[in-house]
């Protein structure tokens, strides 16, 4: 019986997953968790019950959880029988206690007896009474601080997070309605060096007579601009000092920036670039929002900044998180809720949204199984059901990509971005690499510094990824390219990823294919050879 379940189509896997039970959208009815809802989320336990076995072979499930392959031509459809299948095997009893096999957040010398950050997974997200009782227990037993309760709008509580001793965690594990308790994991920004401020220069935009299509007028941001920005618009065999882009410039596209905040009044954002903010639990709200570290400000400016951005007319939604894994999970749940609400209100979602993620789990550290599974299912659901393109940084450990969520590629159509030197196109010494990497972009950049918006030299794939997210928003906004990429709604992330790869090219004497926005040659582009 179990053997018969080993190979299932992706469609069936989606129906088994924690976040998939799609129903028709009834715009005239209010969102409801129990009736006529967009989503009904079965619990983890229902997945286990569906296959009649345990949780132990979850790695096989993860290996088999795949998307349809990218179409050969952007926007082209795939026959149903071309959808990948994979094994789904559950031969072992349920085991979720990681026994602190990885250093949990806040645990010195990996001592589980102190209060450490843990994630408690609900067995049945729709059982309000049971989950309320669990919440009360957690409030009484928390070691310090407060409890974060993460709720899906259609179903209910997915998980809780807080600091607990191992003794308390053992009690919680045995509580009715708790699927498992796992240690939380730290996240780290994929930035590397801070080279300090650079001298601000006056820059102006001017229209060019050239056109990339009949309807998209070219704009020139003339020299001097930062090398990393001009790199993106340099066509093959030519190099220039300006930045050329189409007038659409990401207009009508929303980019969710998952980071630790941004400076709301920064002059590089202007009026209305940041539409609004989404906060993970425990994240303080300030008025106006400030960014002490500056990382998120730099990232946001590379996406849509007036001076330093790639897609200068794109809109940003800042998703503010803490540097722990449960906060990234919560960010994905909140984005899922936000997409669902926007769609129900009549917004056109498919192919008009991008997410850029700079935070990764620590390289070389295996993340617990339930955490990995939920992250993968959330990302898969956002991409498949809402056609959102997700861009992730590769990391700066000079090793093959093995952090989450980037290592879900190429199994899922995430765009993973490595780093190159903008002067040579060579891979930076710190950039991660390997089959998970989709494309590279300059990782030595000039971006907006916090508060005053002056030029700030930074290094890391944290700043390469948002530039690629900006190029994605840019392509989706073009009047000819965008509709082509949205031609097959169920395959938009795959089509965009393929288009990004097809557009990229390796610079002379370099090996890694790097991003290009397909801008044509301009008078100030000098040929590399005579």
């Amino acid at each position: 019986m179990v053997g018969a379940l080993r190979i299932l189509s992706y469609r069936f896997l989606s129906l088994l997953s924690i976040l998939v039970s799609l129903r028709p959208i009834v715009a005239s009815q209010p969102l409801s968790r129990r009736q006529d809802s967009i989503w009904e989320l079965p619990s983890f336990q229902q997945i286990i019950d569906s296959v009649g076995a345990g949780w132990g072979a979850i790695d096989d499930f993860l290996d088999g959880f795949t998307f349809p392959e990218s179409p050969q031509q952007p926007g082209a459809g795939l026959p149903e029988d071309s959808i990948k299948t994979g094994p789904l095997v559950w031969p072992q009893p349920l085991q979720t206690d990681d026994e602190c096999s990885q250093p949990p957040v806040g645990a010195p010398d990996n001592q589980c007896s102190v209060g450490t950050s843990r994630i408690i997974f609900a067995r049945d997200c729709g059982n309000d009474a049971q989950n309320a009782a669990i919440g009360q227990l957690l409030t009484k037993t928390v070691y310090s601080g407060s409890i974060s309760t993460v709720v899906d709008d259609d179903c209910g509580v997915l998980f809780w997070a807080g600091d607990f001793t191992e003794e308390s965690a053992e009690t919680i594990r045995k509580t009715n309605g708790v699927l498992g308790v796992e240690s939380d994991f730290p996240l780290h920004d994929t930035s590397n060096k801070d080279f300090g401020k650079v001298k601000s220069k006056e820059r102006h935009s001017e229209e060019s007579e050239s056109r990339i299509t009949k309807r998209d007028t070219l704009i020139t941001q003339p020299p001097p601009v930062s090398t990393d920005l001009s790199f993106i618009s340099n066509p093959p065999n030519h190099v220039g000092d300006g930045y050329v882009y189409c007038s659409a410039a990401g207009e009508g596209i929303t980019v969710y920036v998952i980071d630790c905040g941004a400076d709301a009044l920064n002059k590089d954002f202007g009026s209305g670039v940041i539409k609004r903010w989404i906060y993970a639990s425990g994240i303080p709200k300030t008025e106006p929002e400030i960014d002490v570290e500056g990382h998120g400000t730099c990232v946001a400016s590379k996406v849509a900044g007036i001076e330093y951005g790639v897609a200068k007319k794109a809109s940003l939604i800042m998703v503010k998180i803490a540097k722990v894994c449960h906060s990234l999970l919560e960010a994905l749940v909140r984005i899922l809720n936000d997409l669902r609400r926007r769609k129900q209100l009549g917004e056109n979602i498919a192919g008009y949204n991008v997410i850029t993620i700079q935070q990764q789990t620590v390289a070389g550290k295996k993340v617990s199984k339930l955490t990995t599974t939920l992250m993968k299912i959330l990302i898969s659901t956002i991409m498949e059901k809402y056609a959102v393109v997700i861009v992730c940084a590769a990391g700066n450990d000079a090793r093959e990509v093995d952090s989450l969520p980037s290592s879900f590629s190429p199994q899922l159509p995430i765009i993973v971005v490595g780093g190159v030197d903008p002067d040579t196109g060579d891979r930076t010494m710190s950039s991660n690499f390997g089959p998970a990497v989709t494309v590279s972009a300059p990782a030595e950049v000039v971006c907006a510094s916090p508060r005053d918006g002056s030029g700030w030299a930074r290094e890391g794939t944290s700043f390469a990824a948002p530039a690629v997210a900006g190029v994605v928003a840019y392509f989706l906004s073009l009047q000819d390219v965008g509709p082509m990429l949205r031609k097959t709604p169920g395959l938009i992330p795959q089509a965009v990823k393929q288009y990004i790869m097809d557009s990229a090219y390796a610079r002379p004497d370099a090996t890694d294919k790097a991003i290009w926005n397909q801008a044509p040659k301009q008078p100030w582009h000098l040929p590399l050879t005579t």
Side-chain angles (χ1 to χ4, degrees):
M1 179 64 69
V2 174
L5 294 167
R6 291 187 176 182
I7 301 180
L8 297 173
S9 72
Y10 176 75
R11 301 301 180 193
F12 185 55
L13 284 175
S14 297
L15 292 173
L16 292 178
S17 73
I18 187 174
L19 292 176
V20 179
S21 179
L22 186 63
R23 289 189 174 188
I25 301 169
V26 183
S28 60
Q29 296 184 359
L31 191 64
S32 167
R33 280 193 357 209
R34 299 299 193 272
Q35 295 178 346
D36 297 317
S37 62
I38 299 174
W39 298 100
E40 287 181 349
L41 288 84
S43 66
F44 281 115
Q45 188 60 49
Q46 286 175 288
I47 300 173
I48 298 169
D49 293 343
S50 296
V51 295
W55 192 268
I58 194 169
D59 290 334
D60 292 322
F61 167 71
L62 295 178
D63 289 341
F65 198 95
T66 58
F67 262 72
E69 292 181 346
S70 299
Q72 292 299 314
Q73 297 296 327
L78 283 177
E80 285 295 318
D81 59 5
S82 69
I83 295 174
K84 286 187 176 182
T85 60
L88 182 60
V89 187
W90 315 82
Q92 303 294 329
L94 177 65
Q95 294 180 354
T96 59
D97 180 6
D98 57 16
E99 298 179 352
C100 280
S101 57
Q102 301 293 338
V105 177
D109 300 323
N110 199 23
Q111 296 300 308
C112 297
S113 59
V114 300
T116 60
S117 182
R118 302 175 193 270
I119 305 174
I120 299 92
F121 294 89
R123 185 176 293 276
D124 183 354
C125 58
N127 192 329
D128 292 342
Q130 188 175 72
N131 292 335
I134 295 171
Q136 292 176 1
L137 171 65
L138 298 179
T139 301
K140 293 177 181 178
T141 57
V142 65
Y143 181 79
S144 63
S146 59
I147 302 296
S148 298
T149 304
V150 179
V151 178
D152 178 90
D153 285 350
D154 277 354
C155 184
V157 177
L158 294 180
F159 66 88
W160 302 265
D163 291 344
F164 298 91
T165 64
E166 178 57 29
E167 293 76 14
S168 296
E170 186 60 32
T171 299
I172 295 166
R173 286 187 186 96
K174 298 175 182 178
T175 301
N176 189 33
V178 172
L179 177 63
V181 179
E182 293 185 342
S183 295
D184 205 350
F185 289 79
L187 300 175
H188 69 106
D189 293 326
T190 49
S191 57
N192 193 9
K193 296 178 182 178
D194 174 1
F195 294 104
K197 292 186 178 182
V198 297
K199 186 178 180 180
S200 179
K201 301 172 182 177
E202 290 293 328
R203 300 174 177 89
H204 305 280
S205 294
E206 59 185 27
E207 292 196 9
S208 168
E209 294 298 324
S210 303
R211 294 175 182 270
I212 198 168
T213 70
K214 294 180 180 179
R215 291 172 288 178
D216 289 311
T217 303
L218 286 174
I219 303 294
T220 300
Q221 183 176 332
V225 301
S226 62
T227 305
D228 63 282
L229 195 57
S230 62
F231 179 100
I232 291 171
S233 68
N234 282 338
N237 300 317
H238 288 76
V239 62
D241 296 326
Y243 176 56
V244 178
Y245 60 96
C246 289
S247 56
E251 187 172 12
I253 309 300
T254 297
V255 181
Y256 292 87
V257 179
I258 300 179
D259 213 290
C260 298
D263 179 38
L265 300 182
N266 196 288
K267 67 180 183 181
D268 201 39
F269 300 140
S271 175
V273 173
I274 300 178
K275 292 169 61 175
R276 51 194 172 87
W277 300 72
I278 294 175
Y279 300 87
S281 300
I283 299 299
K285 302 177 183 180
T286 60
E287 186 61 42
E289 280 290 341
I290 59 173
D291 180 17
V292 176
E293 294 183 5
H295 186 276
T297 299
C298 181
V299 166
S301 75
K302 295 314 298 179
V303 179
I306 297 170
E307 189 86 357
Y308 307 104
V310 173
K312 301 179 185 296
K313 296 181 183 178
S315 297
L316 303 181
I317 296 178
M318 300 301 301
V319 185
K320 196 173 180 180
I321 66 170
K323 294 182 182 180
V324 284
C325 203
H326 84 260
S327 197
L328 175 56
L329 289 176
E330 181 177 357
L332 294 170
V333 173
R334 289 184 179 271
I335 290 173
L336 181 62
N337 288 337
D338 192 60
L339 291 165
R340 183 186 297 123
R341 292 166 187 157
R342 289 171 57 199
K343 186 172 183 177
Q344 185 135 9
L345 291 172
E347 277 195 58
N348 195 352
I349 298 297
Y352 290 91
N353 292 270
V354 183
I355 298 172
T356 179
I357 305 174
Q358 289 60 243
Q359 288 71 26
Q360 302 281 326
T361 59
V362 177
K365 299 293 185 181
K366 187 176 181 180
V367 178
S368 301
K369 292 179 178 179
L370 293 180
T371 300
T372 301
T373 303
L374 180 56
M375 187 183 299
K376 190 166 192 178
I377 291 172
L378 286 168
I379 288 174
S380 300
T381 303
I382 289 169
M383 297 184 81
E384 186 195 14
K385 299 304 179 184
Y386 291 98
V388 176
V389 180
I390 296 181
V391 180
C392 296
N396 309 305
D397 306 291
R399 59 184 289 157
E400 189 166 312
V401 172
D402 63 355
S403 300
L404 297 178
S406 290
S407 59
F408 291 146
S409 171
Q411 193 179 53
L412 301 183
I414 297 171
I415 296 172
V416 178
V417 184
V420 294
D421 183 323
D423 291 317
T424 65
D426 293 327
R427 184 190 304 157
T428 57
M429 292 183 64
S430 62
S431 176
N432 288 352
F433 52 86
V437 176
T438 308
V439 71
S440 294
E444 297 173 2
V445 307
V446 177
C447 60
S449 65
R451 290 171 294 282
D452 65 4
S454 59
W456 194 19
R458 301 293 305 270
E459 180 185 342
T461 57
S462 271
F463 314 115
V468 172
V471 174
V472 170
Y474 171 79
F475 283 150
L476 288 171
S477 71
L478 296 181
Q479 295 185 57
D480 288 346
V481 177
M484 178 185 67
L485 296 175
R486 286 186 284 270
K487 182 178 179 181
T488 306
L491 295 173
I492 292 172
Q494 295 92 320
V496 171
K497 182 172 183 176
Q498 189 64 52
Y499 194 79
I500 287 290
M501 292 190 293
D502 291 344
S503 302
Y505 71 95
R507 273 44 175 185
D509 301 321
T511 56
D512 293 0
K513 293 183 70 174
I515 195 72
W516 177 41
N517 72 352
Q518 296 189 330
K521 184 181 69 169
Q522 293 295 292
W524 43 265
H525 277 127
L526 301 177
L528 294 174
T529 58
T530 58

